[in-house]
Amino acid sequence: MTALLEAPEEPVEAPKAPEDRERFRATTVAWLSPAAILLIGLFLIPTGYAVYLGFTNLQLLGPNAQHFSFTGAANLNRLIHDPVFWSSVKITLIFVIGSGIIAQTLIGLALALLGQRAHISVRATVGSIVILAWVLPEIGVAFIWYAFGQSGGLLSEIIGNPSNDLLSTAPLLIVSIANAWRGTAFSMLILSAGLRNVPEEVDEAAQLEGAGYWRRLFRVTLPIMRPTIMTNMLLITIGTISDFTLIYAMTQGGPGNQTAILPVYMYIEAFQFNALGYGTTIALALIVIGALLSIVYVRQLRPELRKAS
Amino acid sequence: MSTGEISVPLSVVEDRTQEVVPNQLRRARVNKLVINTVLAVLGIIFLLPIIWLIDSALNPNATQGLSAPAWSLANFRAAIAAGAGGAIKNSLYLAVVSTVVATGVSTLAAYALSRRRVPFKATVLLGILFLTGLPVTLLLIPLYEIFVHLGWANSPFYTSLVLSATSIPFAIWLLKNFIDQVPKEFEEAAAIEGSSEMRILWKIVIPLSLPGIMVAAILTFINSWGAFLIPLVLDANPGNQPGAVGIYQFMSANGIVQYGPLAAYGILFSVPVVVLYLICSRWLNGGFAFAGGVKG
């Protein structure tokens, strides 16, 4: 079988019981096929189909719903000249970087660092509260912060201007706060684990040389944690960039598309403005942007990856 | 943790005079107080939205602001009258079916990928890793088209299959790494004694990798329970709508937002996953534990 040609890792992985692993066994197909059928049918084929649909004039209703056709670069052309698309890209980047990468990493890191030195009961209680925000269904989070952002809601009370309808005056800020509130637990968990893996001896050596806490944090701890922090940022980016529920339930992308990140803009174009083909083009653009951002991280992580292998 | 704290003054003691010690100790104590206070304040800020939710659910006259404390269940009755029960039942169906399917097929596939020779294994694993990062958003429109053409739309079963498919890549990845850690000796011994493969999987591999399977199952369940966009698009039948869609409809349906009943609806919908998380957090904590120090 072709099996003999590939998988260079195999001999390394299986030094003993070779007769068991060297042959490809027919039953392996039986183990793999249920997952393969679901992934091919509901993941790979739709992905391939998306690449095609993105270049068609498919519509939700009307004549082009049944008889759509390939329109070449028409959608791409429309995308490039669509000011709403470019503002959506900008909003997506602000949302991902502001509420995802910056807010969640900084607050998560603060919680992890404080937790490391705080009393066990305080750490456990605060940790559970932060995790509770993460476990709540996203729609519940959307509702809570929707209420908070209303005029007369808690946020406008706190800033001392109860009549201010923050969801109209600062919608992107409110959905960003909601997202940061919900997502911080993930960073806290990852970064706490990373912090525990920093060897104590290194920190103690720096202490003996008289380095203060902040100096040790910035010169020793954080550089050691760099791969963890970068991986965490990558995971936050992937999670945040495709977020839909939170923003859509709070603002439906509005007012005036001010919170329409790309998945929301895709939904609006496809299912409200009838343009399924163009909506797919937007989704493809989202993938390209996600891939570009991921490449940035992987490049940053390359020295560490090389060291590890 | 506390040893690191004490060693700050101690390490300084070595090259300073004795009189400094009480000062250093006092400073360490003040430091500790500041740290605990700052962390507690952060905790209270994080808790505020949850307090508002509970407070609003219990007060029949709840508004967007904080309401006076009350102990009324009227909002819960209103939420159930608005269809919370049926919607939560629909969410339960989606979550259970997709969790059983995703965990089952992922365990089988992960076992094969961990133990067997699979053609192009490295490529397959890389492809699965790639799928974990692919936004579901991309699948939505093609799936909608496919479902409409095959007559699969408005079916909770097919919707739950889509939900399971979105969880399978991560579940396989997680379980493959987990099964890799399980020693092979037990399986080899059982194979020598003539046990069938299915029996080995059922009696040895699954029990030994149960913590990993639980993590995969819980993550799939929580993901499917809160699903919003996929059921919103793939299932337009109002009788099939899950809790997340139900809450969204309830939020936007009436001209005036009914904060009290909505808060009650939100709590009814959240309690199952929160309880599930609490029960299973010791399994999840195996992966990453913030409160890990609790053990000692």
Side-chain angles (χ1 to χ4, degrees):
Chain A
M1 284 217 57
T2 48
L4 295 170
L5 298 173
E6 44 59 52
E9 73 205 16
E10 280 304 280
V12 187
E13 204 177 77
K16 39 184 178 171
E19 72 276 21
D20 229 31
R21 239 148 272 138
E22 274 181 2
R23 273 181 309 123
F24 172 73
R25 290 201 267 168
T27 48
T28 305
V29 177
W31 299 129
L32 285 173
S33 50
I37 290 168
L38 283 170
L39 285 183
I40 292 170
L42 298 173
F43 229 123
L44 289 183
I45 291 177
T47 303
Y49 196 31
V51 175
Y52 171 66
L53 287 181
F55 295 92
T56 65
N57 58 2
L58 176 67
Q59 292 196 313
L60 186 63
L61 305 162
N64 289 342
Q66 292 295 325
H67 307 286
F68 60 95
S69 56
F70 186 76
T71 53
N75 283 344
L76 216 55
N77 209 15
R78 179 176 167 192
L79 192 76
I80 289 166
H81 296 104
D82 181 356
V84 184
F85 168 72
W86 290 110
S87 93
S88 177
V89 171
K90 202 177 87 188
I91 294 163
T92 308
L93 290 177
I94 294 173
F95 183 67
V96 168
I97 294 170
S99 84
I101 296 170
I102 296 177
Q104 289 177 28
T105 306
L106 286 184
I107 303 172
L109 187 64
L111 288 166
L113 288 168
L114 288 165
Q116 190 190 31
R117 303 174 73 201
H119 191 268
I120 186 88
S121 60
V122 181
R123 173 180 41 177
T125 313
V126 175
S128 309
I129 293 168
V130 176
I131 291 172
L132 182 61
W134 184 50
V135 178
L136 280 187
E138 212 171 347
I139 188 78
V141 177
F143 166 64
I144 293 173
W145 288 93
Y146 172 83
F148 271 39
Q150 297 293 312
S151 54
L154 278 187
L155 278 179
S156 54
E157 297 275 5
I158 287 167
I159 62 165
N161 185 2
S163 61
N164 192 345
D165 180 3
L166 287 164
L167 267 179
S168 304
T169 52
L172 193 54
L173 179 69
I174 306 302
V175 295
S176 296
I177 294 175
N179 187 50
W181 181 74
R182 170 183 144 84
T184 294
F186 182 75
S187 300
M188 176 188 80
L189 292 166
I190 299 265
L191 296 175
S192 307
L195 208 53
R196 274 197 301 277
N197 290 336
V198 174
E200 272 176 42
E201 305 82 59
V202 185
D203 196 50
E204 275 160 18
Q207 265 182 43
L208 286 177
E209 294 193 1
Y213 177 77
W214 293 106
R215 201 178 154 79
R216 294 201 313 275
L217 177 66
F218 283 106
R219 293 297 173 83
V220 180
T221 312
L222 290 183
I224 292 177
M225 284 177 67
R226 208 181 83 99
T228 312
I229 294 172
M230 295 298 295
T231 309
N232 179 42
M233 285 180 172
L234 173 65
L235 294 172
I236 294 174
T237 303
I238 292 173
T240 312
I241 204 169
S242 56
D243 189 48
F244 175 83
T245 310
L246 187 73
I247 289 187
Y248 190 75
M250 285 176 77
T251 67
Q252 283 95 48
N257 288 328
Q258 281 182 70
T259 52
I261 65 168
L262 283 167
V264 174
Y265 184 48
M266 177 214 75
Y267 181 84
I268 292 172
E269 279 294 333
F271 293 101
Q272 285 169 8
F273 294 147
N274 208 7
L276 287 181
Y278 186 55
T280 315
T281 316
I282 298 168
L284 291 170
L286 172 71
I287 305 295
V288 172
I289 292 170
L292 289 177
L293 290 175
S294 302
I295 289 170
V296 173
Y297 288 110
V298 174
R299 272 175 174 262
Q300 288 291 314
L301 276 170
R302 199 178 275 166
E304 280 87 0
L305 290 174
R306 200 175 290 150
K307 228 178 288 166
S309 60
Chain B
M1 311 279 135
S2 55
T3 50
E5 196 51 47
I6 292 164
S7 64
V8 176
L10 284 187
S11 62
V12 183
V13 173
E14 289 170 29
D15 49 13
R16 300 251 174 112
T17 47
Q18 289 292 322
E19 295 93 274
V20 194
V21 175
N23 248 336
Q24 290 288 341
L25 279 174
R26 198 181 315 129
R27 243 184 79 187
R29 219 169 287 145
V30 170
N31 257 342
K32 198 106 191 164
L33 187 71
V34 170
I35 286 166
N36 283 316
T37 312
V38 173
L39 189 59
V41 168
L42 275 172
I44 290 167
I45 293 173
F46 266 87
L47 188 60
L48 202 60
I50 294 171
I51 292 176
W52 176 85
L53 187 70
I54 296 170
D55 175 55
S56 301
L58 292 172
N59 188 322
N61 304 314
T63 62
Q64 62 271 48
L66 265 182
S67 317
W71 292 101
S72 159
L73 292 180
N75 289 331
F76 287 91
R77 267 178 243 122
I80 288 168
I88 288 171
K89 225 179 282 166
N90 292 335
S91 285
L92 189 67
Y93 177 88
L94 291 180
V96 168
V97 173
S98 64
T99 302
V100 169
V101 171
T103 313
V105 306
S106 302
T107 306
L108 292 178
Y111 175 63
L113 287 167
S114 171
R115 293 293 200 259
R116 298 294 187 75
R117 168 173 273 287
V118 175
F120 306 105
K121 186 189 274 182
T123 317
V124 169
L125 285 172
L126 203 66
I128 291 169
L129 187 65
F130 169 75
L131 289 184
T132 61
L134 202 65
V136 179
T137 329
L138 180 69
L139 307 176
L140 205 67
I141 295 168
L143 279 175
Y144 174 80
E145 274 297 296
I146 294 170
F147 271 43
V148 167
H149 280 279
L150 295 177
W152 289 0
N154 305 333
S155 148
F157 177 71
Y158 288 113
T159 306
S160 63
L161 284 190
V162 172
L163 291 174
S164 80
T166 60
S167 291
I168 286 172
F170 182 71
I172 292 181
W173 193 256
L174 186 94
L175 286 168
K176 194 244 170 209
N177 284 331
F178 210 93
I179 296 175
D180 281 347
Q181 313 290 319
V182 174
K184 296 187 184 88
E185 284 71 26
F186 298 109
E187 292 157 55
E188 282 159 6
I192 290 166
E193 286 175 15
S195 295
S196 73
E197 287 175 290
M198 203 62 209
R199 203 180 146 76
I200 292 173
L201 184 73
W202 192 247
K203 292 281 179 186
I204 296 169
V205 178
I206 289 180
L208 285 176
S209 26
L210 200 60
I213 294 173
M214 287 304 297
V215 173
I218 293 160
L219 292 177
T220 307
F221 190 94
I222 290 177
N223 178 39
S224 302
W225 180 268
F228 175 71
L229 180 58
I230 291 174
L232 182 72
V233 170
L234 297 183
D235 197 336
N237 185 343
N240 292 344
Q241 63 181 214
V245 179
I247 290 177
Y248 172 72
Q249 306 282 18
F250 194 21
M251 262 173 91
S252 48
N254 323 343
I256 302 156
V257 180
Q258 297 174 280
Y259 289 99
L262 265 165
Y265 201 150
I267 288 178
L268 288 174
F269 185 53
S270 304
V271 162
V273 275
V274 172
V275 169
L276 182 76
Y277 181 84
L278 288 179
I279 294 170
C280 303
S281 56
R282 66 196 183 98
W283 276 301
L284 287 167
N285 275 346
F288 32 59
F290 182 66
V294 175
K295 288 165 200 153

